Amino acid sequence: MKKSILFIIINLFVMTSATVFAQDKTFNFGVKATAGMSGFSHNLSGYSDDTRQSWEGGMILRANLPVVPLYLQTELNYTNTGGTFEKGEQAQDLVLNRVEIPVLLGGKLGIGGINARAFGGVVAQQVVIDNFSDLDPSLDPEKFGLGWQIGVGVDIKKFTIDAKYQQSANLVSNNDVSLKSQQFMVSLGYFIW
């Protein structure tokens, strides 16, 4: 009997907490899609580089801090990024597909369902597919790294729009070579709840 009463009390507490969180928008969950331009900063001698289109898609989880206009947001994204390298008459696209987990802290200001935001944070990046050896067989890619991201955005009701810049850590294990990916992105998201 005591276990049944305890079970009922715990269930009431959980349901009440979930209702309160949903009503005061403490947590938001949604999906997003991103398009942008990507390229590389590097010290590879004899190579010139150019940007290419990039994209990503994923999920968003945002925790709105009570009382203060701050939020903590994490995402799970699949990203396609890269750039074009040229040496003489030869051109080679360098492509990276990564799973990325940004952890961002942001501030927001707004009224009536519209919020302006600014944010920044770290991005854990796991390379899934790369073609570094097509550019130079001696390039030994790092599969995991931490990058960073900054940006601004606006929320309109359940929609969220971001403009952001992201840069990776060094992508190769050779200490003499510096090769970092960078992206300018615009994303559109929708909060399901």
Side-chain angles (χ1 to χ4, degrees), residues 27-31 59-62 190-193:
F27 292 98
N28 300 111
F29 173 78
V31 294
M59 299 177 287
I60 312 165
L61 180 62
R62 183 183 295 171
Y190 179 77
F191 288 115
I192 300 166
W193 53 267

Side-chain angles (χ1 to χ4, degrees), residues 37-187:
M37 296 301 290
S38 63
F40 293 96
S41 62
H42 63 89
N43 66 353
L44 299 173
S45 61
Y47 284 98
S48 62
D49 60 275
D50 200 1
T51 58
R52 68 180 286 275
Q53 291 181 332
S54 61
W55 57 266
E56 71 182 19
M59 299 177 287
I60 312 165
L61 180 62
R62 183 183 295 171
N64 299 294
L65 302 179
V67 183
V68 293
L70 297 175
Y71 66 91
L72 185 64
Q73 179 171 304
T74 187
E75 303 172 8
L76 176 62
N77 299 317
Y78 187 83
T79 303
N80 175 277
T81 185
T84 303
F85 283 84
E86 296 175 0
K87 190 171 189 176
E89 297 292 317
Q90 304 239 342
Q92 174 67 50
D93 281 339
L94 188 59
V95 179
L96 290 171
N97 288 349
R98 298 187 290 221
V99 174
E100 297 183 339
I101 302 175
V103 179
L104 308 169
L105 179 64
K108 59 185 176 178
L109 182 62
I111 191 166
I114 299 175
N115 288 310
R117 297 178 290 105
F119 56 88
V122 297
V123 183
Q125 301 168 324
Q126 175 69 45
V127 174
V128 179
I129 300 170
D130 71 79
N131 66 341
F132 281 31
S133 62
D134 292 349
L135 181 66
D136 186 336
S138 68
L139 291 179
D140 185 22
E142 291 285 347
K143 294 299 183 186
F144 178 81
L146 290 175
W148 56 272
Q149 183 181 110
I150 58 170
V152 294
V154 64
D155 297 331
I156 304 169
K157 304 285 184 186
K158 288 189 164 200
F159 290 94
T160 182
I161 302 166
D162 291 336
K164 53 194 174 181
Y165 173 79
Q166 178 174 300
Q167 185 170 5
S168 73
N170 196 12
L171 295 168
V172 292
S173 57
N174 184 339
N175 291 332
D176 298 331
V177 176
S178 174
L179 180 64
K180 299 177 181 181
S181 69
Q182 50 194 10
Q183 295 172 267
F184 292 97
M185 302 173 282
V186 175
S187 66

